Amino acid sequence: MELTTRVEIDAPPERVWDVLVDFDRYHEWNPFMRVAGRANENAHLHVELFPPGGRATRFRPTVTHVDPGRELRWLGHLWTAGLFDGEHRFVLEPLDGGSRTSLTHAESVSGFLAPVVWRFVGDATERGFEAMNAALKARVESTNFDSEDGDRVDDATSPEAPASNR
């Protein structure tokens, strides 16, 4: 079974990537997911999902593929491999000569319990993906990068932002 969502973001893939793998700041913008760990192949992550209208779920997937600026994948299991396995992936593709990004946010599920579990969590998971995609788009598009040192400056907290936005 496969769940695939897409969003176009008005920023280059490198900027989208920087926000996507900055797990420590997910709590600032991501309504669906919290992640602890690093986006390094074979790293173990701590992931907590908050599906709209559903129960929070925690699991410890392993990062299976990292291609900076292009793709991030991890694989998680419910209890043990083969019962309910989920491969989560983010794929970034440049648009308009690299000034914009198409993000594919997807999950492939398999295993003995996949049809039963997916019946209960599939719709909420899809809504969660869509909420995360919209929040990621808003976060990336409202974030500036200082041209001198590459540090991120959030518009709402930058000194140039109106006081009402801080």
Side-chain angles (χ1 to χ4, degrees):
M1 284 168 272
E2 174 86 14
L3 170 61
T4 302
T5 62
R6 290 188 177 78
V7 64
E8 291 186 8
I9 301 173
D10 292 325
E14 297 77 18
R15 189 179 315 171
V16 176
W17 180 263
D18 287 344
V19 174
L20 186 65
V21 299
D22 188 0
F23 300 144
D24 293 339
R25 296 183 76 167
Y26 268 30
H27 70 278
E28 296 175 7
W29 63 269
N30 193 332
F32 177 61
M33 181 184 301
R34 300 291 181 272
V35 178
R38 298 288 168 241
N40 300 324
E41 285 189 25
N42 299 313
H44 294 282
L45 303 175
H46 294 270
V47 175
E48 189 168 10
L49 301 180
F50 303 94
R55 291 181 33 194
T57 304
R58 293 183 179 133
F59 58 100
R60 286 192 43 112
T62 301
V63 177
T64 58
H65 182 75
V66 178
D67 184 358
R70 305 268 309 151
E71 186 173 8
L72 173 64
R73 292 176 184 247
W74 65 63
L75 178 63
H77 310 283
L78 180 64
W79 297 303
T80 187
L83 286 181
F84 182 84
D85 306 323
E87 183 190 50
H88 202 98
R89 68 185 177 281
F90 301 96
V91 179
L92 291 73
E93 298 176 68
L95 300 173
D96 301 332
S99 64
R100 299 178 63 241
T101 303
S102 172
L103 172 78
T104 300
H105 180 184
E107 180 97 13
S108 298
V109 297
S110 60
F112 181 73
L113 295 177
V116 174
V117 173
W118 198 248
R119 186 176 323 136
F120 291 101
V121 302
D123 290 341
T125 301
E126 183 172 15
R127 290 191 309 273
F129 278 29
E130 294 291 351
M132 179 177 171
N133 293 353
L136 177 63
K137 175 180 174 64
R139 176 72 169 199
V140 171
E141 291 178 357
S142 70
T143 304
N144 292 321
F145 285 76
D146 184 295
S147 59
E148 290 181 23
D149 60 16
D151 286 342
R152 191 168 64 219
V153 178
D154 296 334
D155 285 348
T157 58
S158 72
E160 297 79 29
S164 62
N165 288 352
R166 286 188 245 153

